[in-house]
Amino acid sequence: MRAGWRMLDRHGTRQPEPADTTARLPDLFDLPLARTRGGDLRVPDGRGEVTAERLAGIVRDTGGHGHDVRVIVDHGDRDGDLFRELAALLDRDVYVTPANAVARRLGPDRVFAVEPVRDEIADWVLIQPPAAATSLPGWFALRGGTLAMRTGVVVVQAAGAVGIGDRAGFVRLRAAVERLGARPDELLTAVVPAGPSGFRAGTYEGTDLACTGEDLASALSWIRLYGGDLRLWLDWPGDRAGRETLDGELSRLADVTGATVWVPPLGGSVRATEDGTDLLALGPGGDPDEWWPYRPVDDSAPSRFRTAADGRLRPVGDDAPRPAPDRDLGGAPDPVEDPGGGPDAALTDAGPLPPGTGLSWLPADLPGNSAPLTLWVPCDWPVERVVLEGLPTARLFIVGVAGETAPAGPHVRVHAAPGAAVSLTDCVYLAPLGPRAELTPAAGRYLIPAGRLDRVRLADTEVPGALVVRSTGARHGVDGLPEEVVPWPAAPREVYALLPDDGETPPDPLPLLPEPPPVRAGHRLVRLRVPTGGGIDVTASLAALAPLTSVRTRLWDLRLAGAGPVLPPAAYPAVTVTGVSRAADGAWVAEPWDEPEPLAEVLR
């Protein structure tokens, strides 16, 4: 076994320990900037506007091509949009100081981020290329206010996927791994290139490794593979000798791990789906083909997966393409029964959120504030309205700033008991991409999840009781429902809906029906094709949010009105009308309808 793999074994699932060195970090380009008295950025020895294009030119022309960039300037994240453009132009990560921190040198090549007010070390902010941005860490480790090298084999890991690669492809590998990690079933995907000994990998020190099936098994030793299924994203070598070598090492990998290893057919390749969340097996001619299993020698159990017609690997019995789970909910929940036993029970295919904080991505055991906190929460409503209706929020959490003095802009003041709030710097990295884009970690900023609102009181009022929040402003457009509703359906579904026949605005949200209902005068019956996740499952959302007694929603009202799945207005452009019927003589009479049209167009 090679030394490189033994080094990886020693670390297991943990991130490799960074090397403690004061030498210049390889693959890192330092870009010093300065600020004017007015706070604008400037190049230290130049004039003119500082643009992303200009900075990218400086990096490329002075030896930084292909490197990550560390911007040495105070309060770097205040210009985060500029540096995101820079990351996009270079296709590399950019590291900047936090908005409330300054850059301080200790020796020629060690640069620290420091919060000057409290004189405390701060972590550098990692800015990834927007098109390949993830929640995963970068090439360098963040340690003690500075950047440090990692060591060992380059391994990138997400929940359901792992990638082994090298420096040149790191950014794309990291993005691919996170997207593939969204798969909801028990299939691990490994992104690993084929090589002369079967497989190949790179190290953080810049060494290329030729790896056998045993080496790859060693690299994945922290993951329980025995009795499971491992899908490999690799392309078969073009030469016969390379194919024979890879064939033998795949068999050895299956025997050593005890897992069924799935690869494209001999001479074939793998391509990601358009959204990057799944893989297609392609034959030598580039058309969808079968995934080939390599089984351990003693495995006689029936396959748990099969190839679908489009080249995807699917669980046996699941012929429809599976969507990626919603990130705000942490995966596709289990089915729940319709408590009303009505006809919409057949349309319900999602279930409750995990208990605890009310957020699937926020662990219940994450430490909260140890002492009472006074927080200022952004709010356009006066305290009197908040008392009556609840604090408006689109999500199942609120964010506040600690302090006795109100920040700029409209806010309300709340008192948080110990354990109610979590520092954003401690939890933002756990958040999925959706909510994470709305969270700005900084000193004194705290997140209070809906499951802990019973420990929060509204200040500046004599009305007792815990703080209540009101769901409003979510992107799906339904007032009274939070962003974190359970999406529906799990695969494209054809359903029915009733629309007013006189051009009036349809109900918001629009109830969906599994079968044509009895004829109703003054209405049209439309047959709809709803895409994956285009609707909202009221029954499952109600079950999911039931433990969150401090959250006011319309879910009970919708459920009592008989709603199961509903369609929010934001989904109308993606939903197609495949047929229309009108009431005549006590029956639904179909109208001529040649081509499907978007629901949004039909409603105009």
Side-chain angles (χ1 to χ4, degrees):
M1 191 175 295
R2 292 168 175 78
W5 295 113
R6 285 198 297 271
M7 188 156 44
L8 185 67
D9 291 344
R10 175 168 55 85
H11 296 303
T13 59
R14 300 184 299 274
Q15 290 291 340
E17 292 292 331
D20 186 11
T21 175
T22 57
R24 180 176 295 277
L25 296 175
D27 298 311
L28 181 67
F29 180 88
D30 280 343
L31 177 62
L33 298 177
R35 291 193 180 274
T36 66
R37 291 184 177 180
D40 295 330
L41 290 174
R42 67 178 179 87
V43 179
D45 55 352
R47 297 181 179 180
E49 183 182 6
V50 177
T51 64
E53 291 78 6
R54 184 181 181 188
L55 296 181
I58 293 174
V59 173
R60 295 189 184 108
D61 295 342
T62 52
H65 180 72
H67 294 351
D68 286 359
V69 175
R70 176 170 57 184
V71 181
I72 303 177
V73 70
D74 296 344
H75 317 299
D77 202 32
R78 292 181 183 177
D79 297 281
D81 290 342
L82 171 70
F83 296 126
R84 270 182 282 278
E85 289 184 48
L86 177 62
L89 291 172
L90 298 175
D91 200 29
R92 286 293 182 267
D93 292 342
V94 175
Y95 296 84
V96 300
T97 52
N100 63 336
V102 297
R104 292 289 182 264
R105 281 192 178 274
L106 180 62
D109 294 299
R110 300 195 73 182
V111 185
F112 291 81
V114 179
E115 293 182 18
V117 175
R118 298 189 296 177
D119 196 27
E120 292 182 355
I121 293 295
D123 280 334
W124 288 75
V125 176
L126 169 62
I127 296 177
Q128 301 179 10
T134 72
S135 60
L136 303 178
W139 182 262
F140 297 94
L142 305 178
R143 186 186 68 174
T146 188
L147 306 185
M149 279 292 297
R150 303 184 191 276
T151 59
V153 174
V154 178
V155 178
V156 180
Q157 185 182 2
V162 62
I164 296 175
D166 55 20
R167 183 67 185 101
F170 178 81
V171 169
R172 300 299 159 189
L173 174 69
R174 180 179 58 192
V177 166
E178 177 161 274
R179 290 165 185 163
L180 290 169
R183 188 177 175 110
D185 47 54
E186 296 181 358
L187 175 71
L188 175 71
T189 297
V191 184
V192 54
S197 296
F199 311 98
R200 61 183 176 86
T203 68
Y204 286 100
E205 296 86 353
T207 304
D208 290 325
L209 298 177
C211 313
T212 65
E214 290 183 358
D215 292 334
L216 183 56
S218 178
L220 303 176
S221 60
W222 74 86
I223 304 172
R224 180 177 176 82
L225 292 173
Y226 187 83
D229 292 83
L230 173 65
R231 178 179 60 173
L232 298 186
W233 184 350
L234 55 73
D235 297 342
W236 282 89
D239 61 292
R240 180 173 180 177
R243 291 195 294 268
E244 290 177 351
T245 299
L246 180 57
D247 177 71
E249 295 306 323
L250 287 168
S251 296
R252 191 167 291 110
L253 174 65
D255 289 338
V256 172
T257 60
T260 298
V261 179
W262 296 88
V263 298
L266 185 66
S269 59
V270 174
R271 186 182 76 232
T273 55
E274 186 174 347
D275 63 1
T277 60
D278 210 344
L279 299 178
L280 308 178
L282 305 180
D287 296 322
D289 209 326
E290 292 282 324
W291 286 89
W292 282 17
Y294 282 78
R295 297 176 173 277
V297 291
D298 57 349
D299 184 6
S300 59
S303 292
R304 290 171 292 274
F305 291 84
R306 60 179 297 274
T307 304
D310 60 357
R312 305 183 194 216
L313 194 60
R314 292 284 165 244
V316 171
D318 182 359
D319 295 327
R322 272 184 183 264
D326 183 281
R327 288 183 172 274
D328 290 350
L329 298 177
D334 295 327
V336 296
E337 293 183 2
D338 179 0
D344 55 359
L347 297 180
T348 302
D349 50 25
L353 286 165
T357 62
L359 300 170
S360 62
W361 52 268
L362 190 65
D365 58 355
L366 196 66
N369 54 307
S370 58
L373 277 176
T374 296
L375 298 176
W376 296 90
V377 181
C379 179
D380 292 329
W381 295 0
V383 172
E384 294 77 14
R385 185 177 177 185
V386 174
V387 170
L388 294 174
E389 300 183 38
L391 182 71
T393 177
R395 292 195 175 273
L396 294 178
F397 60 77
I398 59 174
V399 175
V401 180
E404 296 299 327
T405 305
H411 288 73
V412 295
R413 191 163 58 112
V414 302
H415 297 309
V422 179
S423 171
L424 271 183
T425 56
D426 292 338
C427 70
V428 69
Y429 71 97
L430 297 169
L433 296 182
R436 187 177 185 185
E438 305 167 14
L439 300 174
T440 304
R445 291 179 62 84
Y446 290 85
L447 179 146
I448 301 176
R452 295 182 181 173
L453 287 172
D454 59 339
R455 310 179 199 180
V456 181
R457 301 291 183 271
L458 184 64
D460 305 314
T461 178
E462 296 180 357
V463 179
L467 177 68
V468 173
V469 296
R470 180 186 183 278
S471 297
T472 185
R475 289 173 298 176
H476 50 62
V478 181
D479 189 56
L481 299 188
E483 193 78 48
E484 297 90 343
V485 288
V486 177
W488 180 95
R493 188 80 66 91
E494 199 161 79
V495 291
Y496 296 86
L498 290 172
L499 299 179
D501 207 11
D502 52 7
E504 292 186 3
T505 303
D508 178 13
L510 180 65
L512 301 176
L513 307 168
E515 302 290 342
V519 174
R520 186 179 303 180
H523 287 78
R524 290 175 292 169
L525 176 67
V526 292
R527 187 171 65 244
L528 304 175
R529 180 73 172 175
V530 182
T532 299
I536 295 171
D537 192 327
V538 171
T539 303
S541 298
L542 182 60
L545 272 62
L548 305 179
T549 56
S550 297
V551 180
R552 290 179 179 173
T553 74
R554 290 174 54 200
L555 286 169
W556 268 116
D557 293 338
L558 292 170
R559 190 69 196 93
L560 291 173
V566 295
L567 195 64
Y572 288 177
V575 174
T576 54
V577 177
T578 60
V580 176
S581 299
R582 295 186 183 274
D585 299 327
W588 291 116
V589 179
E591 294 185 342
W593 200 265
D594 298 329
E595 297 290 335
E597 293 185 34
L599 178 59
E601 296 294 328
V602 174
L603 291 175
R604 284 186 177 179

